[in-house]
Amino acid sequence: MVRLLHLSDIHLGSGLSHGRINPATGYNSRFEDFLYCLSQAIERGIAEQVDLAVFGGDAFPNATPEPTHQEEFARQFKRLTDAGIPTVLLVGNHDLHSRGVGGASLNIYSALQVPGFLVGAKLVIHTIATRSGPVQVLTLPWVNRSALVTREEMRGKSIEQVDLALVERMKLALEAQVRRLDPSVPTILLAHLMAENAVYGAERHLAVGRGFSIPLALMARPEFDYVALGHVHRHQVLCEDPPIIYPGSIERVDFGEEKEKKGFILAEVERGRCRYQFVELPARAFKTIQANLADSSDPQADLVEIIRKHKFEGAVVRVHYRLHAHQSERIDTAELRALLERAFAFQLQPELISQLTQPRVPGLGESCALDPLDALGQYLDSRPELAELRSALLQTAEVLIKGERPELDTEECESDQEVLEVTAAAALQLLEREEGPQATSQLGLFGA
């Protein structure tokens, strides 16, 4: 029985926009989050005395990582080899240079022949001696279309036809390797790919180029005792016999992974049998706070109350609130920022509601035959922010429609009346603009 540590999609150096520089270390605080989760996974593997560690690919965000990121990655994985645990590093799509030309960031370990490390850069069988006996690891790194099919060969073919050709070629290449396996030795397929039944996570937005999906039937074979996958950030078990598992990424990259658990797999593999468990890591919490302030008479107070109802200490937070343009001036961002100081990081994301997206006022359809003042009254009822002016607007609108002007006793009264007239006219024009010309043309509203 071989004890196995399976982790993947570290993306060391991702998500730095949510962090800040730690003056004590000089590192971005989000980089330290990723590094902490990686160290916890490796520490658990060493404590469990695993016999073998397999990494499913995507060590960094791209093929040219920063030197400090490379250094910390190497330092953590060296802990495994120092403990006598051989380690297989698979090449993922983020580890490859553009179109697969120019090598991969992980190839440095094979070029230097670092003891204890094997790099899965090709579809090949690695027979590894562990403390609990030999194990076979068949590595299947990320495959680019250009690596299998030339442009000339696929000229005039659709994307679907190209994908079918790629899968067929992969099937033949995989079959050739399977026939070379020793049937008496535990076998692990270590692959970086998109399986047909898998559910995407944030890697859909992070992926470089468009990949193609691999049928589950190519991997669900009795020759494999465990299928260790990488590429998809959401942990999921696609099959039980044999276990075909994405451990998922070790840390949250963005809000798309807000509700996903992050971790790795510990497994016990023997010929014809495998037991496994998912181990959750203390990934940084992400939290979205939603607020619809469209009908609020005091948007600031309501937003503060909504924020206070949530627990967000130490989390990466985004506050998304919807409001009308005239409400935005009542939002005190300084108070909101002070309220969110307990968060690890936060973003305020206001969304102004376009008047063009407002629902139509009931009764003002194409067949509307309302009295003009009734129409205006219904419109004002749908605009709570104009409630205090409703009576005055209706009175002034009536005067405008009749083409009359009331006698004014004082200059002050005349000034107020002029304000009401302008406001009423603007409201009627807004009614026509929002509800369509039919809402006012048939009512003869602009005769004044």
Side-chain angles (χ1 to χ4, degrees):
M1 180 182 67
V2 175
R3 293 181 294 275
L4 177 71
L5 168 65
H6 171 207
L7 70 163
S8 186
D9 296 271
I10 295 173
H11 289 277
L12 202 58
S14 294
L16 301 185
S17 60
H18 297 298
R20 52 191 176 277
I21 298 299
N22 181 345
T25 63
Y27 288 162
N28 184 287
S29 53
R30 280 297 286 151
F31 174 73
E32 292 179 329
D33 284 346
F34 280 75
L35 195 59
Y36 177 71
C37 284
L38 175 59
S39 68
Q40 290 297 298
I42 290 177
E43 187 172 318
R44 178 67 181 272
I46 295 172
E48 295 287 340
Q49 297 184 330
V50 298
D51 303 300
L52 175 68
V54 294
F55 170 62
D58 284 356
F60 309 103
N62 53 58
T64 55
E66 294 185 14
T68 53
H69 299 169
Q70 290 178 300
E71 181 181 350
E72 291 298 343
F73 178 89
R75 180 177 287 113
Q76 290 299 324
F77 275 90
K78 186 175 182 296
R79 294 170 59 195
L80 291 169
T81 58
D82 287 346
I85 303 170
T87 301
V88 184
L89 303 176
L90 187 68
V91 173
N93 57 306
H94 285 269
D95 304 313
L96 284 169
H97 280 270
S98 178
R99 299 178 183 175
V101 179
S105 58
L106 295 175
N107 285 349
I108 188 67
Y109 294 92
S110 57
L112 295 175
Q113 298 182 352
V114 179
F117 285 100
L118 290 172
V119 176
K122 296 180 180 180
L123 178 61
V124 66
I125 299 169
H126 304 269
T127 301
I128 304 170
T130 74
R131 291 176 297 207
S132 297
V135 61
Q136 299 172 119
V137 179
L138 175 56
T139 54
L140 176 56
W142 178 260
V143 177
N144 286 308
R145 285 190 176 88
S146 58
L148 292 177
V149 182
T150 65
R151 292 183 179 180
E152 183 66 28
E153 186 177 354
M154 286 290 106
R155 178 175 294 181
K157 302 292 185 180
S158 67
I159 293 292
E160 291 73 17
Q161 290 173 322
V162 171
D163 285 351
L164 287 174
L166 288 170
V167 171
E168 188 61 30
R169 293 201 173 195
M170 180 176 289
K171 180 180 179 180
L172 294 174
L174 192 61
E175 183 65 31
Q177 294 297 325
V178 167
R179 293 184 178 184
R180 297 177 56 200
L181 292 170
D182 185 340
S184 65
V185 177
T187 301
I188 297 168
L189 172 63
L190 176 60
H192 193 93
L193 51 80
M194 181 65 195
E196 274 186 347
N197 294 11
V199 179
Y200 263 116
E203 69 286 343
R204 176 180 293 275
H205 308 291
L206 294 172
V208 179
R210 180 184 181 276
F212 57 99
S213 298
I214 304 301
L216 206 60
L218 263 64
M219 301 175 282
R221 306 178 52 133
E223 293 89 352
F224 302 139
D225 300 303
Y226 181 77
V227 179
L229 298 181
H231 181 55
V232 174
H233 289 195
R234 181 179 298 180
H235 165 58
Q236 51 202 291
V237 179
L238 304 180
C239 181
E240 289 288 356
D241 187 20
I244 301 178
I245 302 176
Y246 284 106
S249 54
I250 64 168
E251 244 290 359
R252 296 182 177 92
V253 174
D254 58 23
F255 285 95
E257 300 178 348
E258 180 175 345
K259 298 181 180 180
E260 296 176 12
K261 293 182 178 180
K262 299 300 175 183
F264 58 93
I265 300 293
L266 290 175
E268 296 176 345
V269 183
E270 53 187 321
R271 192 68 192 101
R273 185 180 180 186
C274 176
R275 295 181 296 273
Y276 64 88
Q277 64 170 314
F278 173 76
V279 181
E280 188 174 356
L281 286 167
R284 177 72 61 182
F286 276 61
K287 189 170 187 62
T288 299
I289 299 176
Q290 298 274 9
N292 189 348
L293 308 174
D295 298 327
S296 174
S297 59
D298 191 346
Q300 177 71 12
D302 290 345
L303 183 54
V304 167
E305 182 180 358
I306 291 172
I307 292 175
R308 284 177 174 167
K309 290 180 179 179
H310 291 269
K311 295 181 180 179
F312 52 82
E313 187 171 358
V316 178
V317 178
R318 63 176 175 182
V319 181
H320 180 261
Y321 55 98
R322 303 179 74 245
L323 74 173
H324 296 286
H326 72 273
Q327 295 173 300
S328 59
E329 62 185 17
R330 302 183 65 181
I331 297 297
D332 183 357
T333 57
E335 181 184 4
L336 298 179
R337 291 177 179 278
L339 186 62
L340 292 165
E341 282 185 350
R342 293 180 289 113
F344 176 83
F346 63 86
Q347 303 170 356
L348 296 175
Q349 299 179 345
E351 177 189 349
L352 293 181
I353 302 172
S354 170
Q355 297 295 339
L356 297 177
T357 64
Q358 293 301 296
R360 299 182 64 85
V361 178
L364 293 183
E366 294 182 1
S367 61
C368 177
L370 291 175
D371 176 83
L373 292 178
D374 289 339
L376 180 58
Q378 285 195 20
Y379 173 73
L380 293 174
D381 288 341
S382 72
R383 299 292 296 272
E385 69 274 13
L386 299 177
E388 295 181 0
L389 295 175
R390 186 181 188 281
S391 178
L393 284 170
L394 287 172
Q395 291 176 11
T396 305
E398 184 176 8
V399 171
L400 289 171
I401 291 170
K402 292 179 179 180
E404 301 174 355
R405 290 181 60 90
E407 293 184 4
L408 304 176
D409 296 332
T410 66
E411 182 177 349
E412 180 179 357
C413 181
E414 182 178 0
S415 176
D416 291 341
Q417 187 69 23
E418 289 175 354
V419 172
L420 288 175
E421 289 181 5
V422 171
T423 306
L428 291 171
Q429 291 171 353
L430 186 60
L431 174 65
E432 182 181 55
R433 184 168 68 250
E434 293 189 355
E435 303 302 327
Q438 71 279 358
T440 55
S441 62
Q442 62 185 335
L443 302 178
L445 289 179
F446 293 103

